[in-house]
Amino acid sequence: MKTTPAAPAVRIVPAVRWPWPTTTDVRELWQYRALLWQLVRRDIRVRYAQTLLGAAWAVLQPVVSMAIFTVIFGYLARVPSGDVPYALMALAGLVPWTYFATVVAASSDSLLTNRELVTKIYFPRLIIPVAPILAGLVDLGIGLLVLLGAVLFWYPMGIGVELFLLPLPLIVMVIGATAIGVWATALNIQYRDVRYVIPFVLQTGLFLSPVIYPLDIVPDGFHTVAALNPMTGVIETLRAILLGGTIPWSVLGVSTAAAVLLFVTGTAYFRRAEQLFADVA
């Protein structure tokens, strides 16, 4: 009786890659841009699905928070706001912070909510945490329009040419949000404690960032330390552009460097942990 020889064992191993992002990764992400676009559209569509007020929540969240903080910190605690009404200063901090906190929370949980997709087909996993970051830009745009309307209400003379610098802090904010989102989602897939830590970190970050107070009330010696938080440079620069004042280039520079460093290290860690995603998701 003849026996069929056993087929040789084939071992599939991931391709050897550099630990940090390369042009190859960017090219691969571009090849899967259609999938990224579909995930972004899905996140936008389901964000306010079956809600009574729909996209109005993008306006209500920062505006209601502004009203509460204005009463507590503006009128009761008498937090200084310089020559700018406290409500306007707070709104200029809450609009970017609302975007940052919302997308970081969504991004940190994205791999778990998409576990069915992760375990069945191949695609660059980095697309998953990036999709909520891009989807949140719609709400950010709505919030910025409300903020611009409030600025023009208080200052009918309009905004200076500094408005052309507005994309600068926004880009830094997106890089910082992506960096922390990538870090959080990679850690969350391995250590489920992270999903309970993220809300606490974001609540603490609200008070560690100059959202409800200006950076001026922080002693000068701590400005560099405060700027290590990427949102410090973003919020202070946004206020300077929209409300007048000197652009805090040194603070923005430190915040940009911190955001880029977090992005590079976060992406490297994500790539290192990527091989485990299908097993532990």
Side-chain angles (χ1 to χ4, degrees), residues 218-232:
V218 177
D220 293 342
F222 292 96
H223 281 195
T224 302
V225 176
L228 293 175
N229 172 4
M231 287 305 292
T232 297

Side-chain angles (χ1 to χ4, degrees), residues 25-41 123-124 127 130-131 134:
D25 299 300
V26 176
R27 194 180 304 117
E28 189 178 40
L29 287 174
W30 178 251
Q31 290 173 348
Y32 284 87
R33 63 187 180 281
L35 176 60
L36 175 60
W37 174 238
Q38 288 297 325
L39 292 176
V40 171
R41 288 183 58 186
F123 60 92
I127 284 178
V130 169
L134 298 180

Side-chain angles (χ1 to χ4, degrees), residues 64-81:
V64 171
S65 299
M66 175 201 70
I68 295 173
F69 288 139
T70 298
V71 172
I72 297 176
F73 296 101
Y75 288 97
L76 298 181
R78 299 290 181 184
V79 173
S81 59

Side-chain angles (χ1 to χ4, degrees), residues 74-144:
Y75 288 97
L76 298 181
R78 299 290 181 184
V79 173
S81 59
D83 298 330
V84 180
Y86 181 87
L88 192 57
M89 184 209 68
L91 185 61
L94 284 166
V95 167
W97 178 258
T98 301
Y99 164 80
F100 180 81
T102 302
V103 299
V104 166
S107 182
S108 67
D109 218 24
S110 57
L111 278 173
L112 291 178
T113 56
N114 289 279
R115 58 164 63 91
E116 295 293 331
L117 196 60
V118 172
T119 55
K120 290 183 178 177
I121 61 173
Y122 173 78
F123 60 92
R125 302 302 194 240
L126 197 58
I127 284 178
I128 296 289
V130 169
I133 304 292
L134 298 180
L137 292 175
V138 176
D139 286 357
L140 176 64
I142 296 173
L144 287 174

